[in-house]
Amino acid sequence: MGVWFNKDDYVIDLKRVTVCFLIVYMAVLVGTDQDFYSLLGVSKTSSSREIRQAFKKLALKLHPDKNPNNANAHSDFLKINRAYEVLKDEDLRKKYDKYGEKGLSDNQGGGQYESWNYYRYDFGIYDDDPEIITLDRREFDAAVNSGELWFVNFYSPGCSHCHDLAPTWREFAKEVDGLLRIGAVNCGDDRMLCRMKGVNSYPSLFIFRSGMAAVKYHGDRSKESLVSFAMQHVRSTVTELWTGNFVNSIQTAFAAGIGWLITFCSKGGDCLTSQTRLRLSGMLDGLVNVGWMDCATQDNLCKSLDITTSTTAYFPPGATLNNKEKSSILLFH
């Protein structure tokens, strides 16, 4: 007995099989095209800092130097290196977000990488310091034009002087935290930004504020010298109070709903240093006025306020100035 079939049905079934095969084939292709964000374990909204931190963590774990018995170590590392090279670059990241890897056909970087020691000791040296903001080309202009005062360290990962400065820069950043913003730019990653800012040696330290030309630091690299230089640019106001201005200064602030934080410097006790007073003024700008009084020259005024030793007190708006115990909050004594 012969088997009969309809030619038209055969052609239709063949087309269906072909379409199904193509669908499965495309699904396999898509499944093997690993997403750059997933490779690094970050989201599409991650900041540059978060991307660097994620890559560094993976680099230290997956680097071929640490995996000599893994035949796939080199190829695995190339994948995360390629992902980082794309996502760290503002323009490439935009292309990737819009078109995927096919939008990067004219840029095939990421084929070379550094030794494990580089990623351990030289890569992202300030990323774990909360007081120091590592700025890239995408973030830099918005930051320094924000109206805040910035002191920025332009460094190169391979620069020994940059590494020598790093511990001091960290201590300095903690010292002035709240007075100004401390930044860092990795010129190894952002060569174009550093060239645009006229940086041709490392480390180069610049003060930035919106509306003024950048000021380069030329002093020695001690914490004390850095603090002294920075404080010259901090717009903090600490008022020296005395008999001639005390009542008017206090009442004017009280009328505006602003209190006073006043350090009284006398014999014994704790008289806040001028630097500490400036720091407090910067941190409390617009909230509280900061002042100080020398009780050696303003003896009668200090006595009228019941001040007998160095102390710092807060006077809230409406405080009665001749009754210290009831009208102020004693902070340091």
Side-chain angles (χ1 to χ4, degrees):
M1 176 182 291
V3 178
W4 296 90
F5 62 89
N6 186 298
K7 181 179 179 181
D8 291 336
D9 290 341
Y10 173 78
V11 172
I12 292 172
D13 287 342
L14 182 61
K15 288 181 178 179
R16 287 174 178 168
V17 171
T18 302
V19 170
C20 290
F21 174 78
L22 288 173
I23 290 174
V24 171
Y25 178 71
M26 291 301 292
V28 171
L29 285 179
V30 172
T32 57
D33 181 20
Q34 291 178 282
D35 175 76
F36 286 170
Y37 292 98
S38 298
L39 276 172
L40 297 184
V42 296
S43 70
K44 289 190 175 183
T45 59
S46 293
S47 66
S48 298
R49 186 188 190 113
E50 291 169 335
I51 289 172
R52 281 193 307 274
Q53 290 175 321
F55 172 67
K56 181 174 183 176
K57 184 177 180 180
L58 288 172
L60 295 177
K61 178 181 178 181
L62 301 178
H63 198 285
D65 290 353
K66 291 295 179 179
N67 298 275
N69 298 321
N70 183 354
N72 298 319
H74 173 71
S75 59
D76 289 344
F77 195 87
L78 284 179
K79 291 177 182 178
I80 64 167
N81 194 52
R82 170 63 171 161
Y84 174 68
E85 290 295 319
V86 170
L87 298 185
K88 77 173 185 179
D89 184 283
E90 179 183 7
D91 296 330
L92 292 180
R93 186 175 178 179
K94 286 180 179 177
K95 286 183 179 179
Y96 179 75
D97 287 345
K98 189 171 184 179
Y99 303 109
E101 282 199 74
K102 65 181 180 181
L104 306 172
S105 58
D106 58 342
N107 185 293
Q108 297 299 321
Q112 297 180 335
Y113 52 86
E114 304 286 347
S115 67
W116 184 88
N117 283 338
Y118 169 84
Y119 297 107
R120 173 62 181 87
Y121 300 107
D122 297 340
F123 182 86
I125 61 177
Y126 294 114
D127 279 342
D128 294 327
D129 298 288
E131 299 87 4
I132 302 171
I133 308 300
T134 298
L135 300 169
D136 59 24
R137 184 159 53 98
R138 173 175 48 182
E139 304 160 331
F140 187 87
D141 286 339
V144 300
N145 291 313
S146 64
E148 294 183 283
L149 181 67
W150 282 84
F151 199 1
V152 181
N153 176 354
F154 293 86
Y155 73 94
S156 176
C159 159
S160 61
H161 295 301
C162 300
H163 286 278
D164 291 341
L165 175 63
T168 302
W169 193 249
R170 293 186 179 102
E171 292 177 9
F172 162 69
K174 292 177 181 177
E175 181 76 16
V176 299
D177 187 34
L179 279 175
L180 67 159
R181 305 300 296 274
I182 303 302
V185 172
N186 181 346
C187 292
D189 275 348
D190 276 297
R191 293 182 178 86
M192 182 179 297
L193 173 59
C194 295
R195 285 197 296 267
M196 289 168 57
K197 300 305 173 183
V199 175
N200 49 32
S201 62
Y202 312 110
S204 287
L205 312 177
F206 285 87
I207 285 280
F208 293 91
R209 191 198 294 273
S210 179
M212 75 175 223
V215 180
K216 187 173 183 178
Y217 176 72
H218 294 284
D220 69 77
R221 293 167 185 163
S222 67
K223 184 185 75 171
E224 294 73 21
S225 295
L226 290 168
V227 169
S228 177
F229 175 77
M231 294 305 295
Q232 296 174 27
H233 299 273
V234 173
R235 295 176 181 173
S236 296
T237 301
V238 177
T239 304
E240 181 176 1
L241 298 167
W242 59 293
T243 304
N245 70 355
F246 181 74
V247 173
N248 183 63
S249 297
I250 300 297
Q251 290 181 347
T252 299
F254 283 1
I258 297 175
W260 274 89
L261 183 67
I262 304 175
T263 289
F264 297 91
C265 296
S266 185
K267 295 179 182 179
D270 182 14
C271 175
L272 299 183
T273 65
S274 59
Q275 182 178 311
T276 300
R277 297 195 294 262
L278 278 172
R279 183 176 180 180
L280 285 169
S281 177
M283 295 172 67
L284 299 173
D285 185 39
L287 301 173
V288 174
N289 287 348
V290 176
W292 76 286
M293 184 179 296
D294 182 1
C295 290
T297 61
Q298 305 299 314
D299 183 58
N300 290 334
L301 182 54
C302 288
K303 285 180 178 177
S304 72
L305 296 168
D306 210 13
I307 301 296
T308 58
T309 186
S310 293
T311 188
T312 298
Y314 171 62
F315 294 85
T320 303
L321 299 180
N322 62 359
N323 191 340
K324 172 180 170 291
E325 294 298 327
K326 294 182 179 179
S327 65
S328 65
I329 301 171
L330 183 65
L331 299 179
F332 307 102
H333 184 79

